Amino acid sequence: HYISIHIQKNVFASPVFISVAMLFLLSFIFSSRVNAFILSRSNDIINSLKGKLSSNQEGFKVRGFLMATQLSFSIIMIALIVIIVEQFRFINSTDKGFEDKNTVVIKIRDDNFSGTEAFEESIRKLSGVTKVDGSSFYLDNVETKDLFEIETKQGTIKRLTTYMNCGYDYLDVLDIELIKGRNFDKDRTTDDGGAYIINETAAKEFGWKDPVGEIIRGPLNTDRDEGEVIGVVNDFHFASLHSKIEPLIIFLVNESWGIRYVYLKFNTDNPGQLITQIEDEYKKIYGDLPFEWEYLDLKYQSLYREDYEIRNVFQVGLIVSILISCLGIFSISALLVILREKEMGIRKVIGATPWQLFYLHMRTFAKFLIIAIAIGWPATWYLSQQWLDNFAYHINLNPWYFIVPALITLLIVLITSGYHGIKSSRVNPVDILKHE
């Protein structure tokens, strides 16, 4: 299932889908009327033999242009769906830098630090819970940047930097990889208020080849004094791939900061029952405050909600465009059989082979396809670049994203018009010419 088409019902009510559908419908109705007009004006065998398929040549040109436009829509839709699916595969295969499976996040609406610690301890004892810790971090909801003083080779600089605070075991809960130095340690009293962990991007942008031991002060508007970097973690995506990974400073949470989110890893076949037990423990401490929780992996997927909606609209557009193109090709193919039946009969009398007649019939559609490619490829490149530019990390376009849709459209043309092509190649001259 390369294209993996899954359509949601609400897509059909979206303004984008309605606009595209109306455009296709009007194009098909107009082209059908042109067909009828051409048939009503075409009965001259001399024009046919000269390659003028009707006495109203301009009408046929209009019909051909509409047909090419319909094919170009198919090429664009197929290409965009392939590119969108490939981008989603890229998103799913990209290492987020943390493990979001079997992870529940509980929002804490109370600033009571000791109460949150008690809540963490109570759910840590539940059967099926493997790891628990708190943090200010949540996907696409990292705390506001703040001002830090950074010691560099060029001297002390002040820099507005994203930060988060967490518990001692938080990095372990999310399996965030520590690539240099060490994690926070409960046995080291200096870590509380005097230790920082940074990500790889921070180390690069601060110009630190060996960050461990470097000095950071801040956030400057708080009571935190200076501390040293004790470790570096692998870059992880604390937002969607729409956003570039920024420098991040991590320090321990305490009573002055509070805990905004509690994370827990579970290992149970009945997570619903576990959630009920967690809610019971929550109510014991927080009383009537609402119990808000979410699976971390589902939260990560929700960061791409708009992209999924765009994909669904284009999937529907793909189906509509192919259907309209098939109907258009079939109708103009039938039209060609009627307009050229006398020509085909004469050609067969003078020795044309069935293959040559089939080629003559299909040659017209080859012209339509070339025009469609000339329209479709630039449009595909522009639209795909516009969409991909919304991502800080995305796939690179390559020629196959343009060649494959053209080949698929060619196959559609061959299948749809091939019936009439075979019919033209098997024409019986006697049946055609006896009516003259």
Side-chain angles (χ1 to χ4, degrees):
H1 305 282
Y2 183 75
I3 295 182
S4 304
I5 293 181
H6 302 285
I7 299 172
Q8 298 180 1
K9 293 181 179 179
N10 59 0
V11 170
F12 295 97
S14 68
V16 176
F17 169 73
I18 294 173
S19 300
V20 172
M22 289 299 296
L23 179 62
F24 282 136
L25 182 60
L26 291 173
S27 174
F28 177 67
I29 293 173
F30 182 63
S31 62
S32 300
R33 298 306 302 168
V34 173
N35 268 354
F37 179 73
I38 294 172
L39 281 173
S40 68
R41 299 289 301 273
S42 62
N43 51 18
D44 190 347
I45 188 172
I46 302 300
N47 285 336
S48 181
L49 289 172
K50 288 181 179 179
K52 300 178 180 180
L53 298 182
S54 78
S55 57
N56 186 1
Q57 189 176 5
E58 290 302 317
F60 195 84
K61 284 183 178 179
V62 173
R63 181 65 183 88
F65 176 75
L66 289 172
M67 185 70 262
T69 303
Q70 290 171 353
L71 288 176
S72 69
F73 273 119
S74 296
I75 291 175
I76 293 169
M77 289 297 179
I78 294 171
L80 290 178
I81 283 296
V82 170
I83 291 169
I84 289 172
V85 170
E86 280 298 299
Q87 175 63 16
F88 273 107
R89 286 188 178 182
F90 174 78
I91 291 171
N92 294 329
S93 63
T94 298
D95 183 11
K96 296 186 286 290
F98 62 91
E99 179 55 58
D100 59 357
K101 302 298 181 184
N102 298 329
T103 305
V104 171
V105 184
I106 303 161
K107 184 173 183 179
I108 304 300
R109 289 181 170 271
D110 194 306
D111 292 330
N112 187 338
F113 180 73
S114 59
T116 305
E117 282 191 318
F119 172 63
E120 289 180 359
E121 189 60 33
S122 66
I123 60 177
R124 193 174 281 118
K125 298 175 183 178
L126 296 177
S127 176
V129 175
T130 58
K131 301 175 184 177
V132 178
D133 212 335
S135 172
S136 64
F137 161 74
Y138 199 33
L139 285 173
D140 213 25
N141 189 30
V142 179
E143 287 194 15
T144 307
K145 295 179 180 180
D146 213 323
L147 200 62
F148 290 82
E149 281 190 350
I150 312 295
E151 294 288 348
T152 69
K153 290 183 178 180
Q154 290 75 34
T156 302
I157 62 171
K158 291 184 179 181
R159 173 159 184 154
L160 200 62
T161 308
T162 303
Y163 71 91
M164 68 176 239
N165 47 60
C166 63
Y168 288 94
D169 301 323
Y170 178 74
L171 300 181
D172 185 44
V173 172
L174 288 188
D175 293 327
I176 296 174
E177 182 183 1
L178 193 69
I179 58 176
K180 287 183 180 179
R182 63 176 178 84
N183 197 356
F184 299 116
D185 189 345
K186 293 179 181 178
D187 296 328
R188 302 193 186 204
T189 56
T190 54
D191 281 4
D192 186 6
Y196 298 93
I197 294 176
I198 62 175
N199 64 353
E200 288 179 288
T201 298
K204 292 175 184 176
E205 296 206 13
F206 297 162
W208 292 337
K209 292 184 178 179
D210 186 10
V212 177
E214 297 288 353
I215 301 300
I216 295 177
R217 299 181 185 89
L220 296 181
N221 61 346
T222 67
D223 58 358
R224 287 185 63 88
D225 201 353
E226 72 174 37
E228 67 175 27
V229 176
I230 62 171
V232 180
V233 293
N234 189 31
D235 279 340
F236 63 94
H237 292 275
F238 45 82
S240 70
L241 295 191
H242 289 284
S243 304
K244 191 175 181 180
I245 294 177
E246 297 183 358
L248 177 67
I249 297 175
I250 306 171
F251 52 88
L252 282 171
V253 69
N254 55 35
E255 292 184 4
S256 300
W257 296 89
I259 297 174
R260 307 308 304 168
Y261 302 95
V262 171
Y263 288 69
L264 67 90
K265 284 280 187 183
F266 64 86
N267 181 17
T268 177
D269 295 330
N270 192 352
Q273 181 180 355
L274 177 61
I275 294 299
T276 301
Q277 295 174 344
I278 294 171
E279 184 176 6
D280 291 339
E281 297 299 326
Y282 182 91
K283 293 297 184 182
K284 290 179 183 177
I285 297 175
Y286 299 109
D288 295 331
L289 290 177
F291 177 65
E292 300 177 72
W293 66 278
E294 196 167 11
Y295 289 114
L296 186 57
D297 55 350
L298 295 182
K299 173 62 178 179
Y300 186 79
Q301 291 180 17
S302 72
L303 300 181
Y304 302 98
R305 184 180 294 110
E306 292 184 2
D307 302 300
Y308 280 111
E309 291 175 355
I310 291 174
R311 183 197 65 179
N312 291 338
V313 170
F314 274 103
Q315 285 175 344
V316 176
L318 171 63
I319 295 173
V320 173
S321 66
I322 289 178
L323 288 176
I324 295 294
S325 295
C326 287
L327 290 172
I329 295 168
F330 190 84
S331 64
I332 198 171
S333 182
L335 173 66
L336 281 173
V337 172
I338 297 172
L339 294 177
R340 304 186 73 170
E341 60 180 359
K342 297 175 184 178
E343 175 193 352
M344 294 300 185
I346 293 175
R347 288 183 183 275
K348 197 158 191 179
V349 167
I350 62 178
T353 64
W355 169 250
Q356 290 173 325
L357 298 180
F358 180 80
Y359 168 75
L360 285 172
H361 180 83
M362 300 301 296
R363 185 173 61 181
T364 302
F365 294 98
K367 296 177 182 178
F368 294 158
L369 185 59
I370 291 172
I371 296 173
I373 290 174
I375 298 172
W377 280 359
T380 298
W381 182 86
Y382 175 78
L383 293 173
S384 59
Q385 283 287 7
Q386 290 295 309
W387 185 68
L388 290 174
D389 284 346
N390 291 319
F391 295 87
Y393 307 91
H394 58 75
I395 60 173
N396 295 317
L397 296 178
N398 65 64
W400 286 110
Y401 294 142
F402 301 87
I403 295 172
V404 170
L407 292 176
I408 293 174
T409 306
L410 173 60
L411 182 62
I412 293 171
V413 170
L414 289 174
I415 293 174
T416 309
S417 62
Y419 165 76
H420 291 113
I422 295 172
K423 185 176 179 180
S424 293
S425 67
R426 299 177 65 180
V427 67
N428 187 344
V430 176
D431 293 338
I432 300 299
L433 300 178
K434 72 180 180 179
H435 296 294
E436 296 300 316

